[in-house]
Amino acid sequence: MPRKKKENTSENTKLNENVHIENAGTVKSEVITEAIKSNFMPYAMSIILSRAIPEIDGLKPSHRKLLYTMYLMGLLNGKTIKSANIVGRTMQLNPHGDASIYETMVRLSRGNESLLNPYVESKGNFGKAYSKNMMYAASRYTEAKLAPICNELFGDIDKDTVDFVDNYDNTMKEPRLLPVTFPSVLCNVTTGIAAGMASSIASFNIREVCETTIALMKNKEHVISDTLIAPDFVGGGYVIYDKEELDKIYETGKGSVKVRAKYTYDKSYNCIDITEIPPTTTSEAVIDKIVELAKANKVKEISDIRDETDLKGLKITIDLKRGTDPDKLMQRLYRLTSLEDSFSCNFNILIDGKPGVRGVREILNEWVKFRLNCITRRVNFSLEKKRKQLHLLKGLSKILLDIDKAIKIVRETENEADVVPNLMIGFGIDETQAEYVAEIKLRHLNREYILKRINDIENLENEIAELEEILSSEKKKKKIIISELQNVIKKYDIGRKSEILYDVPDDTEIEEPAAADYPVTVFITRGGYVKKIKTANLRMSGEQKVKEGDEVERSVECSNKDELLVFTSRHQVYKAKLDDFPDTKASVLGEYLPGKLEMEEGETVLYTAVLKEYKGYMIFVFENGKLAKVDISAYETKTNRKKLINAFSDKSPLAAAVYLEEDTDIVITSQSGRNLLINTAVILPKTTKNTQGIQAMTLKKKSDKVISLHLYTPGEFEKEWRFRPKNLPAAGALLSAADIGEQLSF
């Protein structure tokens, strides 16, 4: 039997009756700008202040939470522990999930090679920043601990040098900033994208940063570039020195630095080994681009390329063809690939909760202010501690002057609770001092202990005086900062990783390799295909293969060094070198020009000219009977521009075009069958590409139009004079029966 549907109990019914949602189903109108302000603005502020932009200690909140957790776990000393353990503990401070925490750890690690001064010592596979395919292992397989340089991050953290705030669930405290003893904000690459703003900070050599800071503290007018030479990247390479651009970065915090890959040439194997690349690219991106250039026939000196990266580090090997100059090839690859790339600088950091793009001078001055505050708080902390200790010892000194009296008071006091008040009355000391005295062990009531305590009072008074002197003198505080910076240099300076190149020639000075000069035959089809075959191989070639419905329009014997001008339906001309087209054979279709030259969608080829040099003329005849003669030099450019617009007139549809090296006879034919024989010498050439030209043929009917143009063959017309006019424009003449017969036999 079918099961009966269970009825609602009276309790459920009662609950359903009582449920009421206020304003449910009502549509609330709200101004969109107000909605954005109330909803998006808090989110934007959150990611700016609490996520994407680094602060004066050089860390983002995610970095700080991870490192502080590791510090609390005692990982500043001792052995590494499983990364998964660290990630789990960090979630007490960072609620954004284990994946993002582990990615942060990976980037801070030595093994990943993202930072010039890594904060995490790693064990296991942490991937590589220079390779997108070399991924890091899961957190359960890797181990980590804090790097020695983290002593400079946490050295004073327990001395009230920075503020502490509640974590996200108010169960523990975390530092607002870390009391770094050097300007770490400039010592590691930091990038971040917030809402409406971003940050990109280049890394500098730790010695240069510390020396620049010291120099600025001694002289506010110090020239930054005298000590801070140029950025230094963990991946090494060459930094191309541009003083004007670097000064701009130092002054404004914005600009770009060119970084070039480093390579060596192995003569025995005739190969180039690239071992250092810019920080903005990866080995895969470099290899893919070089392969693309080789396939496009733009780089012909390479026979093979492979990634030979191993445990020793990055290595991209390029095998060269015989006779290749490796230095010249690399100069071209620098220009054509990301082997030379720019690192964009945008020194946007948070100071006192306010983001701003600042120059190096301002950043270092702000760091000095921050560090002076840390020193002041540290001294105050020590001073307060010593004052309390001195206060206790002064109370003890009063007791030690008459120990017997103190013993008598303790012995004669009946209640334990009255010992402290009686000592206060008996020696004129306060409660804190009396508590301290009451806790002294019996074994310490001897001469030696008494003398030591009295000496401690003297030492403490001297130390307190010294600390008070430091507090009252900014000069002394700066001396402490300078001493700490010098100590950082001694401990952690390992020299520059990126070499600096001076007086590098501009790209314009790099010569293009000359195209090989050998005879070829170019076949051009009506459908827009071009194939290049070595003339020597034509004897062995069969019939030229073309796409179904297509045909070879013409063939041109020329040199591999020649150029193509491809005129299209969008009144544009595309320029290409024949050397960029591969040598092929009769059995292939060839290169499809719209695809090869990256034409616009729907753009088709109208005419293709083959040029040995920019001499001669382009003849354009339009459907309205006009004819234009354009000097071919109008299409010559000093730069390697691939496309020119307004290549010919767009006032009337193009009927035909032809390239002439010198003036000759041409025949223009109309739809009505009339033919006009003209020698191009009678037409003045123009240098304006899109000139309308002159009216050459008169069209008697509105429906008539010019349909073709071809070179005249002597004897083509029985009575040549009938077709050659005395003046232009002219209507031309119809073919006679003899002319038609002659053409049919032809």
Side-chain angles (χ1 to χ4, degrees):
M1 289 180 67
R3 187 178 296 175
K4 288 184 179 180
K5 187 175 180 181
K6 188 176 179 180
E7 295 181 359
N8 285 335
T9 63
S10 58
E11 187 180 350
N12 288 335
T13 305
K14 188 176 179 181
L15 285 171
N16 290 334
E17 288 174 355
N18 292 334
V19 171
H20 174 69
I21 302 174
E22 189 177 356
N23 296 326
T26 60
V27 178
K28 182 183 176 183
S29 70
E30 191 174 356
V31 181
I32 186 67
T33 53
E34 294 301 320
I36 291 173
K37 277 184 184 178
S38 60
N39 292 284
F40 182 73
M41 286 303 291
Y43 167 75
M45 289 300 293
S46 173
I47 59 175
I48 290 170
L49 301 178
S50 306
R51 198 173 301 178
I53 309 296
E55 300 200 47
I56 196 65
D57 63 352
L59 300 171
K60 298 180 187 179
S62 58
H63 302 156
R64 199 177 298 111
K65 292 173 192 290
L66 172 71
L67 296 174
Y68 183 61
T69 300
M70 294 178 74
Y71 171 74
L72 292 180
M73 294 174 72
L75 294 178
L76 200 50
N77 301 302
K79 297 181 180 179
T80 57
I81 67 168
K82 285 290 184 183
S83 300
N85 189 353
I86 299 168
V87 170
R89 291 282 290 275
T90 305
M91 292 182 74
Q92 292 179 312
L93 296 178
N94 191 346
H96 293 293
D98 60 324
S100 62
I101 294 171
Y102 187 49
E103 286 175 9
T104 299
M105 180 192 289
V106 167
R107 190 179 177 280
L108 297 180
S109 69
R110 188 176 301 278
N112 187 253
E113 297 184 39
S114 289
L115 302 185
L116 188 61
N117 300 284
Y119 295 128
V120 174
E121 295 289 355
S122 55
K123 183 179 179 183
N125 177 19
F126 275 74
K128 293 295 177 187
Y130 54 72
S131 171
K132 61 184 178 184
N133 291 341
M134 294 178 67
M135 294 298 292
Y136 50 82
S139 60
R140 61 184 176 274
Y141 299 121
T142 61
E143 297 181 13
K145 70 171 187 174
L146 290 174
I149 199 170
C150 288
N151 282 296
E152 307 304 322
L153 273 58
F154 296 105
D156 299 334
I157 202 164
D158 57 350
K159 296 180 180 177
D160 191 38
T161 47
V162 290
D163 293 331
F164 277 73
V165 294
D166 291 323
N167 69 333
Y168 66 94
D169 63 354
N170 299 326
T171 57
M172 60 185 295
K173 296 284 188 179
E174 59 178 306
R176 176 73 186 78
L177 295 170
L178 295 186
V180 290
T181 60
F182 66 100
S184 56
V185 67
L186 293 176
C187 293
N188 279 321
V189 167
T190 309
T191 57
I193 300 173
M197 62 176 63
S199 178
S200 179
I201 301 174
S203 56
F204 293 85
N205 177 263
I206 197 167
R207 170 183 282 276
E208 292 176 16
V209 171
C210 291
E211 288 178 348
T212 304
T213 309
I214 293 169
L216 269 177
M217 291 171 72
K218 292 179 178 178
N219 176 18
K220 290 182 180 180
E221 303 303 320
H222 172 70
V223 179
I224 300 291
S225 57
D226 287 351
T227 47
L228 197 66
I229 302 172
D232 190 16
F233 298 99
V234 63
Y238 297 107
V239 172
I240 298 175
Y241 188 80
D242 182 345
K243 190 174 189 310
E244 187 177 335
E245 187 70 10
L246 286 171
D247 286 343
K248 176 186 167 187
I249 293 169
Y250 295 161
E251 191 64 31
T252 67
K254 283 196 169 187
S256 62
V257 181
K258 283 187 179 179
V259 187
R260 180 177 284 186
K262 187 180 287 188
Y263 70 95
T264 55
Y265 173 62
D266 190 333
K267 191 174 181 180
S268 58
Y269 290 98
N270 192 31
C271 68
I272 292 171
D273 293 327
I274 299 168
T275 53
E276 297 174 9
I277 59 177
T280 50
T281 189
T282 62
S283 57
E284 292 84 5
V286 169
I287 292 171
D288 290 346
K289 184 61 179 178
I290 293 175
V291 169
E292 180 188 326
L293 291 171
K295 285 182 178 178
N297 224 29
K298 293 181 179 178
V299 177
K300 302 177 182 178
E301 301 92 333
I302 296 173
S303 61
D304 189 25
I305 183 170
R306 58 191 175 275
D307 192 343
E308 293 189 352
T309 302
D310 54 17
L311 293 175
K312 294 178 182 178
L314 172 69
K315 187 179 179 184
I316 300 171
T317 299
I318 302 174
D319 291 334
L320 307 180
K321 291 180 181 177
R322 187 178 298 175
T324 299
D325 186 325
D327 294 325
K328 285 186 177 179
L329 172 61
M330 283 303 297
Q331 293 303 314
R332 289 187 62 223
L333 291 180
Y334 284 145
R335 188 175 58 182
L336 297 173
T337 72
S338 56
L339 285 173
E340 180 177 300
D341 208 357
S342 293
F343 184 96
S344 296
C345 297
N346 181 28
F347 291 178
N348 187 5
I349 63 172
L350 284 169
I351 295 176
D352 296 329
K354 297 176 183 177
V357 179
R358 298 167 170 88
V360 170
R361 183 185 301 276
E362 187 177 354
I363 290 172
L364 291 178
N365 284 336
E366 289 292 344
W367 181 84
V368 170
K369 272 202 267 182
F370 163 74
R371 191 59 192 158
L372 281 171
N373 183 54
C374 289
I375 297 291
T376 301
R377 292 180 62 158
R378 184 179 72 187
V379 172
N380 269 325
F381 178 83
S382 299
L383 187 58
E384 189 62 30
K385 197 173 179 181
K386 290 183 184 298
R387 280 173 176 167
K388 285 180 181 179
Q389 194 176 353
L390 179 63
H391 181 63
L392 295 175
L393 289 180
K394 281 186 174 179
L396 179 61
S397 66
K398 290 182 180 180
I399 302 292
L400 296 178
L401 292 173
D402 195 348
I403 294 175
D404 293 335
K405 181 181 176 182
I407 294 172
K408 184 179 180 183
I409 290 172
V410 173
R411 184 182 296 165
E412 292 179 355
T413 302
E414 293 185 7
N415 299 321
E416 185 181 350
D418 295 331
V419 171
V420 170
N422 289 342
L423 286 173
M424 292 169 61
I425 296 167
F427 289 94
I429 58 178
D430 61 28
E431 186 177 356
T432 308
Q433 292 172 320
E435 284 282 1
Y436 177 69
V437 169
E439 295 297 328
I440 293 176
K441 294 179 181 180
L442 191 61
R443 62 186 293 180
H444 289 154
L445 299 178
N446 57 73
R447 181 177 177 80
E448 182 184 5
Y449 181 81
I450 293 167
L451 291 174
K452 279 183 179 179
R453 296 292 72 80
I454 291 171
N455 288 335
D456 287 344
I457 291 173
E458 188 178 346
N459 293 335
L460 277 172
E461 286 175 341
N462 292 335
E463 289 173 8
I464 288 169
E466 189 177 335
L467 291 173
E468 287 175 340
E469 196 176 338
I470 291 171
L471 271 182
S472 61
S473 170
E474 188 172 298
K475 190 175 181 181
K476 286 187 178 292
K477 293 177 195 173
K478 286 186 175 181
K479 278 187 178 180
I480 293 172
I481 296 174
I482 290 171
S483 174
E484 290 173 344
L485 289 170
Q486 290 170 339
N487 189 47
V488 167
I489 293 172
K490 288 178 186 175
K491 283 185 177 179
Y492 306 109
D493 175 41
I494 55 172
R496 287 190 64 90
K497 290 200 172 184
S498 296
E499 293 185 38
I500 299 173
L501 287 182
Y502 298 91
D503 302 323
V504 177
D506 295 334
D507 289 346
T508 52
E509 297 179 29
I510 301 172
E511 295 182 4
E512 288 281 351
D517 187 7
Y518 55 86
V520 295
T521 301
V522 176
F523 294 88
I524 302 167
T525 75
R526 292 188 184 277
Y529 282 85
V530 166
K531 69 171 79 173
K532 182 182 74 174
I533 302 176
K534 288 183 179 178
T535 305
N537 297 341
L538 276 177
R539 297 175 185 175
M540 300 177 285
S541 300
E543 186 179 351
Q544 298 297 326
K545 182 180 178 180
V546 293
K547 198 173 182 179
E548 187 176 351
D550 197 7
E551 62 178 329
V552 175
E553 186 176 49
R554 59 197 172 94
S555 61
V556 182
E557 291 186 6
C558 55
S559 168
N560 182 62
K561 295 177 67 176
D562 293 352
E563 291 189 28
L564 294 182
L565 290 184
V566 183
F567 295 86
T568 73
S569 57
R570 299 281 173 86
H571 305 94
Q572 301 181 133
V573 62
Y574 290 81
K575 303 171 71 175
K577 295 180 180 179
L578 270 179
D579 188 50
D580 293 337
F581 292 76
D583 294 326
T584 184
K585 49 189 178 182
S587 59
V588 300
L589 291 175
E591 296 283 336
Y592 184 53
L593 286 174
K596 175 78 173 177
L597 302 179
E598 299 178 356
M599 292 184 186
E600 298 170 10
E601 189 175 353
E603 192 171 12
T604 57
V605 176
L606 298 181
Y607 180 77
T608 302
V610 182
L611 276 65
K612 185 173 293 184
E613 53 186 340
Y614 282 87
K615 290 183 179 179
Y617 313 98
M618 277 300 303
I619 304 295
F620 300 102
V621 63
F622 302 95
E623 289 184 0
N624 63 1
K626 288 196 173 184
L627 184 147
K629 180 182 179 183
V630 180
D631 198 306
I632 200 70
S633 62
Y635 301 98
E636 188 175 15
T637 54
K638 292 181 180 179
T639 57
N640 291 325
R641 291 170 64 188
K642 301 296 182 185
K643 180 173 74 172
L644 301 177
I645 60 172
N646 300 322
F648 55 92
S649 175
D650 59 357
K651 302 300 181 183
S652 177
L654 183 69
V658 66
Y659 165 61
L660 301 177
E661 291 187 8
E662 55 187 22
D663 287 313
T664 187
D665 287 332
I666 59 171
V667 178
I668 301 173
T669 305
S670 71
Q671 195 173 37
S672 60
R674 290 185 175 273
N675 291 269
L676 187 65
L677 177 60
I678 306 172
N679 190 289
T680 57
V682 302
I683 303 166
L684 292 175
K686 303 287 185 180
T687 55
T688 306
K689 301 191 295 295
N690 61 346
T691 179
Q692 294 182 58
I694 63 165
Q695 190 70 40
M697 179 175 265
T698 304
L699 302 172
K700 294 186 177 181
K701 296 180 181 179
K702 286 186 178 180
S703 60
D704 198 12
K705 62 181 180 180
V706 174
I707 58 172
S708 68
L709 173 153
H710 67 270
L711 301 182
Y712 178 67
T713 305
E716 182 180 336
F717 299 137
E718 183 185 33
K719 296 177 180 178
E720 183 182 301
W721 54 269
R722 292 180 57 239
F723 302 91
R724 194 185 296 275
K726 292 182 179 179
N727 297 303
L728 293 176
L734 294 170
L735 296 175
S736 66
D739 294 329
I740 295 172
E742 183 66 27
Q743 287 192 0
L744 288 174
S745 64
F746 176 77

